[in-house]
Amino acid sequence: MTHLHAGLNPETIEKGRLELNENPDTLHQDIQQVRDMIITRPDIGFLRTDDAFILRFLRARKFNQMEAFRLLAQYFQYRQLNLDMFKNLKADDPGIKRALMDGFPGVLENRDHYGRKILLLFAANWDQSRNSFVDILRAILLSLEVLIEDQELQINGFILIIDWSNFSFKQASKLTPSILRLAIEGLQDSFPARFGGVHFVNQPWYIHALYTIIKPFLKDKTRKRIFLHGNNLNSLHQLIHPDCLPSEFGGTLPPYDMGTWARTLLGPDYNDENEYTHSSYNVIHVKHVPAIVEGEDSPKYMKRSHSVVEPGTLRHEEERENENTQPLLALD
């Protein structure tokens, strides 16, 4: 067994072989073939090219070296084109911190029966006076960067459940085509994670309309993994066992604590009322740009309710949020 498999149990190694075409005997050769392609893209700064890093891209593309390299290139290109999103990608960045505090994303401690990590988004918790969509996206990308370090998750993947309960038409009207494309490009096209399913729960009619509009931006493989359950939790339970779910989704676990994942990332300095200075996780896969310190004048309290997410040019976050783009849903 290669050192790159250290920490993996035999069952997961076998799963990688059967499902991802991962061969321990040719692993270093596969990695080197991807690394050798870097010279073909001098326009991109590949800031990390070690074996363990390239391996996650091979796993995300079932060891198709060309597709793995394309994903690796898109990963760094997305960060170069959106430097303002990544220049301070830390848990204690003010915008990311607010999003994490409000449960964007939620991450369940236990995995499902296939070893996949379950991420939760409670859409109605999006207070648009407190969190920008871009900061929520940044918090999700940071969380994925932390989670993908786990080799088990590189092979087993993730599940995303989005609860649209009480997500208003007014909130939905803020989801412009440009920011939705930014999210799709960041999550679908530029990140080495395997998503086994994206589950919509309690979605109103206007979310169906939004989904119809964004469908052309989704790969066929992604579309096949999006499930619209509505109020039918039984159909959700057919795919994710209730033993793995909190009570909000008809599961047997206690209600989800919105601060769980924030406490994990922020460490011992987590505090509901005070500023955070702890920076346990700092993603450095973009060239360093001095951070712009933001004020935090929003209320600290976040009500519990029934959350979401879903290439651009180099622009500041404020321009993205306020640009003259027609919303997908127009208010009367």
Side-chain angles (χ1 to χ4, degrees):
M1 182 178 71
T2 173
H3 73 280
L4 291 170
H5 284 152
L8 287 176
N9 62 56
E11 292 78 13
T12 305
I13 293 174
E14 180 65 7
K15 182 176 183 179
R17 186 183 70 82
L18 294 175
E19 296 185 12
L20 307 182
N21 306 308
E22 184 168 338
N23 184 350
D25 295 332
T26 61
L27 195 57
H28 289 284
Q29 179 182 340
D30 293 332
I31 291 170
Q32 189 57 45
Q33 287 181 354
V34 173
R35 189 182 287 116
D36 289 344
M37 298 180 195
I38 290 175
I39 195 173
T40 67
R41 293 299 305 271
D43 57 310
I44 296 176
F46 293 86
L47 302 181
R48 184 178 171 187
T49 60
D50 57 275
D51 287 358
F53 187 69
I54 291 177
L55 177 57
R56 66 187 62 171
F57 291 86
L58 280 163
R59 285 171 170 160
R61 291 297 180 262
K62 295 187 175 182
F63 276 76
N64 180 317
Q65 288 92 345
M66 182 59 71
E67 289 300 316
F69 173 70
R70 184 175 290 114
L71 180 60
L72 177 68
Q74 288 172 333
Y75 174 92
F76 285 114
Q77 186 173 47
Y78 182 78
R79 282 149 180 74
Q80 287 179 193
L81 292 173
N82 300 284
L83 280 174
D84 52 314
M85 285 177 57
F86 294 95
K87 61 190 174 187
N88 193 36
L89 198 70
K90 300 179 182 180
D92 60 359
D93 170 85
I96 293 176
K97 177 176 58 180
R98 285 193 298 269
L100 290 171
M101 286 283 294
D102 292 353
F104 294 103
V107 180
L108 295 185
E109 181 178 354
N110 297 324
R111 305 178 187 189
D112 75 353
H113 294 305
Y114 298 100
R116 299 174 296 192
K117 201 72 170 175
I118 302 174
L119 278 61
L120 309 175
L121 293 169
F122 294 89
N125 280 359
W126 182 21
D127 181 345
Q128 294 169 352
S129 67
R130 173 178 166 85
N131 294 314
S132 71
F133 182 92
V134 172
D135 277 337
I136 290 174
L137 177 58
R138 294 173 71 221
I140 293 171
L141 288 170
L142 172 64
S143 299
L144 287 172
E145 290 282 4
V146 173
L147 292 167
I148 205 64
E149 293 289 333
D150 186 336
Q151 289 202 73
E152 296 275 345
L153 296 180
Q154 293 174 22
I155 294 174
N156 292 328
F158 300 86
I159 293 291
L160 175 62
I161 305 176
I162 305 173
D163 186 351
W164 296 95
S165 300
N166 301 319
F167 188 70
S168 70
F169 189 91
K170 183 177 181 181
Q171 286 174 302
S173 71
K174 302 298 184 182
L175 297 175
T176 64
S178 62
I179 60 174
L180 288 174
R181 283 193 65 184
L182 186 73
I184 291 169
E185 289 168 359
L187 296 169
Q188 172 189 259
D189 303 328
S190 308
F191 197 85
R194 305 182 66 223
F195 279 94
V198 178
H199 301 268
F200 285 16
V201 176
N202 299 316
Q203 72 276 6
W205 67 266
Y206 39 88
I207 296 304
H208 282 275
L210 280 175
Y211 177 61
T212 300
I213 293 171
I214 67 171
K215 250 185 171 182
F217 303 120
L218 300 174
K219 295 178 180 177
D220 184 59
K221 185 177 181 180
T222 302
R223 288 196 293 268
K224 290 178 179 177
R225 293 179 177 177
I226 294 178
F227 303 90
L228 308 180
H229 298 284
N231 297 322
N232 183 6
L233 292 180
N234 288 330
S235 66
L236 175 68
H237 296 163
Q238 290 174 11
L239 299 171
I240 308 174
H241 198 279
D243 288 350
C244 306
L245 297 172
S247 59
E248 294 94 326
F249 302 102
T252 60
L253 299 178
Y256 182 70
D257 176 358
M258 288 294 176
T260 299
W261 183 238
R263 284 190 289 270
T264 299
L265 291 190
L266 290 162
D269 290 337
Y270 174 93
N271 187 307
D272 284 333
E273 300 297 332
N274 299 321
E275 294 289 334
Y276 307 106
T277 57
H278 185 70
S279 55
S280 299
Y281 294 101
N282 176 14
V283 178
I284 57 174
H285 301 153
V286 292
K287 293 179 180 178
H288 175 72
V289 180
I292 298 176
V293 179
E294 301 177 23
E296 187 169 3
D297 51 8
S298 301
K300 298 290 183 183
Y301 178 74
M302 184 63 199
K303 68 178 182 295
R304 177 78 165 131
S305 66
H306 276 307
S307 213
V308 86
V309 168
E310 261 253 314
T313 56
L314 179 58
R315 294 171 294 174
H316 288 292
E317 177 182 314
E318 296 83 1
E319 295 170 354
R320 277 204 188 93
E321 295 292 331
N322 300 314
E323 63 186 349
N324 295 322
T325 304
Q326 288 297 317
L328 293 176
L329 296 173
L331 291 171
D332 294 332

